[in-house]
Amino acid sequence: MATQYLRITKLHDVRGRIDYISNPERQENLLAYRSTMDNKMWLALANQNQRSFKNNSRGVSANGKCIEAREIIFHLPHRFSANPERVLNQIVDDWKNTYHTDCAAALHWNHDKTNLHIHLIFSERERLDRDKVKYATRNMYYDADWKRCNKADAVHVIHKGEPTSPPFEHAKTRSFKSYTWLEQELKDHYAKILGLDRFERDGLHIPQQKTFKYQNREKAERIRENNQIIREFNEIVDYALSKHVLESDLKEIVEPLKDSVKRNKKNRTNTLKSALNELRRGVRQLTMTLEDIWNTIKSHHHTYTIAKYNARMCGYELDEQMENLKKTSMFSLHKEDRQNRKDIKQKIKDKKSEIDGYQEKADGSKKEIDAVLDEFPKIKPYYEHCKQIMDKYYDNGWFFEPPVYEFKSVEYSKKIYDLGITENYLNHKMTDSRFGYSYSRENELKTLILNTENKDVIVQSMIELVDKDPNLMLDDKLYERIKPIYSEFKIARIDLEDGNWLRQLSYEDKNGQMLDVKSLMHVIKRYQMNKYDEKCRKEEECKLKQKEIQKSINRELKINRGKKHKGRDIER
């Protein structure tokens, strides 16, 4: 949204000023003009103010001149130039209905048609009704002190039909000369009507300077150059605010720059340029997200890692050639051996120069990376994590080049590392699966539970698992992870927002936050009951088996005993 510009000035010759803003011969870019009273009434207003000025000191400006009226100048967005008559009528009618005094307004372009603005000249006195005003029935002549005189000695003339008694109120409206009225009412009023933002001099923007028509040309050019820099400065401030940068954070950057510009008036242009560069740097730090910063660094990091990887591969080949060189003899008399030794030396030389090239490439990328890290310190933890954890996974292999890391992968890898997944292979595997087609939040939570040593992470992951599936059946591995922790569950008092409180089963994490573990405890109890039932079932099965075994033993004993007695009977 555009910023409002509005200023108010005192007029000592109201008729001359009205002629200046409304005369097409004096204004080449006049779009529209309207006045709520004719020139005779403007003359009567000027005469009444002059008489009041003669009689008392009210209505006198600082330079000792009579204030006949006041003028407001304010700019409009360029879209209002499409229908100037309608815009001007709305502005004039709004003034008349709001402040109840007469006015004359003209809508202009400046010479370069870059500034659309309105001149609104208004009376400080309200006009009386016609029946309360006396009008001259013939020409009346007055001297310099407004006393009746002969026509020959006349300085002032009231023609027939013009008012002889003051047509305006005796007292001026006091609020029109109040700074509070200008700042708190008038500027807010027109900012609301025109859809503009208020320009606050103690805020975040720098005011521009006005170039006067009869100003020194060199000075005018310097002011225009300064105004162009100021416009860029204010546009950057507006851009930062549109990106939802906190005003307090922006003020920490802008206020020292505004103070330096205010102090260095002699070298204002250079001071403004340096302030603009500092603001760009500061706003860039505030508005760029971590992903934007990473996008500026990831290509340099990939170049750096590939160069180091290629240098390492060339190092292995160089070691191999050095071993081959040791196997040859420099004193051999065979021509083939001498040629072979010469070829090996050439390969060694080529490999060394190739390694130097890769090293130079890596050093250049490292400088670019260090520059970004110095400018944006908040990306440094992610870069260090990428080097220490993600790159190490590829350092262990000889045949895999490290990929270009996207920020989402680095962010996720660091997140699970902070949660306790510190082993390189597992961290890399979870990061790859997180953004793959087979991703499952349940599997991710189970992996966290089984591999982290952080109790808070285990409890929070278990709670989320239970929330996703209230009928969750724990397996032995998950139970073994939660078993040492659920003894720390306790009944705690929880204060509610409405002033009431309740008692619930909770777990207190390291930050002092109470986690509701009631549903998790139900799942644990269910597991324990299932295990107990399974144990009982196994015991019953064991007893049944023992009974069956005992029955079979008894049956065999009985059969054997019967056979024995039968043999005795036969002998008998």
Side-chain angles (χ1 to χ4, degrees):
M1 188 181 290
T3 306
Q4 180 195 53
Y5 169 81
L6 184 148
R7 68 184 177 95
I8 191 167
T9 57
K10 304 166 186 176
L11 299 180
H12 309 299
D13 180 12
V14 64
R15 289 182 302 160
R17 185 63 179 173
I18 289 175
D19 179 70
Y20 174 76
I21 67 171
S22 61
N23 192 342
E25 296 180 359
R26 302 178 70 181
Q27 295 290 337
E28 57 180 331
N29 293 321
L30 176 65
L31 299 182
Y33 170 75
R34 182 188 166 190
S35 176
T36 59
M37 60 184 185
D38 57 17
N39 290 332
K40 289 183 179 180
M41 295 305 296
W42 284 110
L43 175 61
L45 174 66
N47 290 337
Q48 182 173 340
N49 285 325
Q50 290 292 346
R51 284 195 214 102
S52 177
F53 171 65
K54 291 287 184 181
N55 295 332
N56 53 55
S57 60
R58 293 182 182 177
V60 182
S61 66
N63 57 8
K65 293 182 180 180
C66 173
I67 301 172
E68 295 183 355
R70 292 179 186 265
E71 179 184 11
I72 302 171
I73 302 174
F74 54 91
H75 94 281
L76 279 75
H78 291 186
R79 64 178 182 274
F80 289 114
S81 63
N83 197 342
E85 294 285 348
R86 180 184 173 189
V87 172
L88 193 67
N89 287 334
Q90 288 177 349
I91 294 292
V92 171
D93 292 340
D94 175 76
W95 177 271
K96 185 70 175 174
N97 296 331
T98 306
Y99 299 107
H100 312 294
T101 65
D102 291 282
C103 65
L107 182 60
H108 294 161
W109 279 111
N110 65 339
H111 179 73
D112 299 328
K113 290 191 176 183
T114 57
N115 180 17
L116 182 67
H117 59 279
I118 282 182
H119 297 262
L120 191 146
I121 297 171
F122 66 94
S123 167
E124 296 176 282
R125 304 175 190 269
E126 292 187 20
R127 198 180 351 165
L128 296 171
D129 295 336
R130 187 174 181 82
D131 56 356
K132 295 182 181 180
V133 182
K134 295 179 181 180
Y135 293 89
T137 56
R138 59 187 180 85
N139 292 344
M140 303 178 71
Y141 304 98
Y142 298 87
D143 61 10
D145 296 329
W146 284 93
K147 294 181 179 180
R148 294 288 296 273
C149 65
N150 297 326
K151 182 178 180 180
D153 300 328
V155 177
H156 304 289
V157 180
I158 297 179
H159 298 281
K160 181 180 178 180
E162 294 180 353
T164 56
S165 65
F168 298 90
E169 290 283 356
H170 177 69
K172 292 183 176 183
T173 305
R174 286 192 172 186
S175 62
F176 290 155
K177 56 184 178 182
S178 169
Y179 181 78
T180 304
W181 172 77
L182 172 65
E183 290 294 327
Q184 297 183 3
E185 182 177 345
L186 187 65
K187 288 187 176 181
D188 288 340
H189 180 72
Y190 281 113
K192 185 177 180 181
I193 289 176
L194 302 173
L196 300 171
D197 284 335
R198 278 286 308 274
F199 180 82
E200 300 290 346
R201 288 188 176 272
D202 57 346
L204 301 169
H205 299 81
I206 298 178
Q208 298 184 41
Q209 289 180 282
K210 180 174 175 58
T211 54
F212 296 95
K213 184 177 288 187
Y214 304 106
Q215 203 167 29
N216 184 328
R217 181 177 296 177
E218 183 180 349
K219 186 176 181 180
E221 287 296 327
R222 189 166 61 251
I223 291 175
R224 289 192 190 96
E225 182 183 359
N226 292 345
N227 286 345
Q228 178 62 32
I229 300 172
I230 290 170
R231 280 194 292 273
E232 291 182 28
F233 186 97
N234 292 339
E235 285 174 2
I236 294 173
V237 170
D238 293 336
Y239 169 77
L241 293 174
S242 69
K243 291 293 184 180
H244 309 291
V245 174
L246 294 177
E247 194 168 324
S248 57
D249 294 339
L250 196 57
K251 271 190 174 181
E252 292 181 3
I253 301 173
V254 172
E255 285 182 349
L257 301 178
K258 289 179 70 175
D259 291 340
S260 66
V261 170
K262 193 174 181 180
R263 287 195 306 269
N264 300 323
K265 292 184 178 179
K266 292 184 178 179
N267 196 10
R268 185 177 173 86
T269 303
N270 291 334
T271 307
L272 281 170
K273 288 180 179 178
S274 62
L276 181 62
N277 293 331
E278 287 293 328
L279 180 66
R280 280 181 182 143
R281 190 178 299 111
V283 168
R284 193 170 170 225
Q285 291 180 356
L286 291 175
T287 55
M288 285 187 73
T289 62
L290 288 170
E291 185 173 1
D292 295 334
I293 301 169
W294 184 261
N295 289 337
T296 64
I297 205 176
K298 68 179 183 181
S299 59
H300 298 302
H301 177 67
H302 184 252
T303 303
Y304 172 77
T305 51
I306 292 298
K308 298 294 281 185
Y309 170 82
N310 290 333
R312 187 170 74 246
M313 294 297 105
C314 289
Y316 297 144
E317 295 178 7
L318 179 63
D319 293 341
E320 184 180 351
Q321 294 296 333
M322 292 295 290
E323 290 295 328
N324 293 336
L325 184 64
K326 289 179 181 178
K327 293 177 182 179
T328 61
S329 174
M330 59 184 300
F331 303 107
S332 176
L333 299 178
H334 296 286
K335 185 177 180 180
E336 293 179 357
D337 293 343
R338 291 197 301 271
Q339 183 62 37
N340 185 29
R341 183 179 177 82
K342 185 178 179 181
D343 293 341
I344 293 173
K345 284 185 176 181
Q346 184 63 39
K347 289 180 181 179
I348 291 172
K349 184 178 178 181
D350 294 342
K351 285 298 174 185
K352 285 183 178 180
S353 62
E354 192 174 353
I355 291 172
D356 291 340
Y358 287 131
Q359 190 61 46
E360 185 178 353
K361 202 171 184 180
D363 293 341
S365 299
K366 189 69 169 62
K367 286 181 181 179
E368 296 290 340
I369 293 169
D370 291 340
V372 176
L373 294 179
D374 291 339
E375 186 176 359
F376 303 101
K378 58 185 178 181
I379 200 66
K380 199 167 186 177
Y382 295 91
Y383 181 72
E384 294 297 332
H385 171 81
C386 182
K387 282 181 62 179
Q388 296 175 4
I389 304 301
M390 302 181 76
D391 287 348
K392 275 188 178 180
Y393 175 78
Y394 292 97
D395 285 346
N396 296 329
W398 285 12
F399 308 106
F400 299 99
E401 290 186 359
V404 179
Y405 300 119
E406 297 298 331
F407 180 71
K408 60 182 182 180
S409 300
V410 178
E411 185 180 30
Y412 180 78
S413 176
K414 185 178 184 304
K415 177 183 175 182
I416 60 176
Y417 180 85
D418 295 338
L419 294 177
I421 309 300
T422 57
E423 200 274 319
N424 288 344
Y425 176 76
L426 184 59
N427 189 294
H428 174 78
K429 185 178 178 181
M430 286 186 67
T431 304
D432 278 353
S433 63
R434 172 63 183 83
F435 303 102
Y437 294 106
S438 59
Y439 169 72
S440 170
R441 179 61 177 166
E442 289 79 5
N443 293 337
E444 180 185 29
L445 292 172
K446 289 177 181 179
T447 307
L448 279 174
I449 294 168
L450 296 175
N451 292 281
T452 184
E453 299 299 328
N454 190 325
K455 292 182 180 180
D456 294 347
V457 175
I458 293 174
V459 173
Q460 289 170 0
S461 301
M462 289 292 290
I463 291 173
E464 187 175 347
L465 268 178
V466 173
D467 290 341
K468 285 181 174 296
D469 183 11
N471 299 319
L472 177 71
M473 299 298 294
L474 293 180
D475 57 21
D476 295 339
K477 291 182 180 179
L478 292 178
Y479 178 74
E480 290 299 324
R481 298 295 291 170
I482 197 66
K483 184 178 179 180
I485 304 174
Y486 79 80
S487 59
E488 300 180 18
F489 297 172
K490 59 185 179 181
I491 301 294
R493 171 173 170 162
I494 307 298
D495 295 323
L496 303 177
E497 294 181 356
D498 57 1
N500 297 325
W501 60 276
L502 57 85
R503 296 168 66 86
Q504 70 177 22
L505 188 65
S506 304
Y507 170 79
E508 185 177 3
D509 62 10
K510 291 182 180 179
N511 298 324
Q513 184 179 359
M514 303 302 291
L515 304 177
D516 184 8
V517 293
K518 184 178 179 181
S519 56
L520 174 59
M521 197 63 190
H522 287 323
V523 173
I524 295 173
K525 291 295 184 184
R526 188 189 307 144
Y527 172 85
Q528 292 175 342
M529 290 297 294
N530 291 339
K531 281 294 183 183
Y532 178 77
D533 293 343
E534 185 179 350
K535 181 180 178 182
C536 293
R537 195 164 50 249
K538 286 182 178 180
E539 289 179 355
E540 289 178 0
E541 289 176 358
C542 288
K543 289 180 180 179
L544 290 174
K545 284 185 178 181
Q546 288 176 358
K547 287 181 179 179
E548 290 179 359
I549 292 170
Q550 189 64 39
K551 284 181 180 180
S552 63
I553 292 172
N554 293 338
R555 193 181 302 113
E556 290 179 1
L557 289 173
K558 189 175 181 181
I559 293 170
N560 293 333
R561 193 181 300 116
K563 287 182 178 180
K564 186 175 180 182
H565 289 298
K566 186 177 182 181
R568 287 178 183 176
D569 293 339
I570 293 170
E571 287 178 0
R572 287 177 185 174

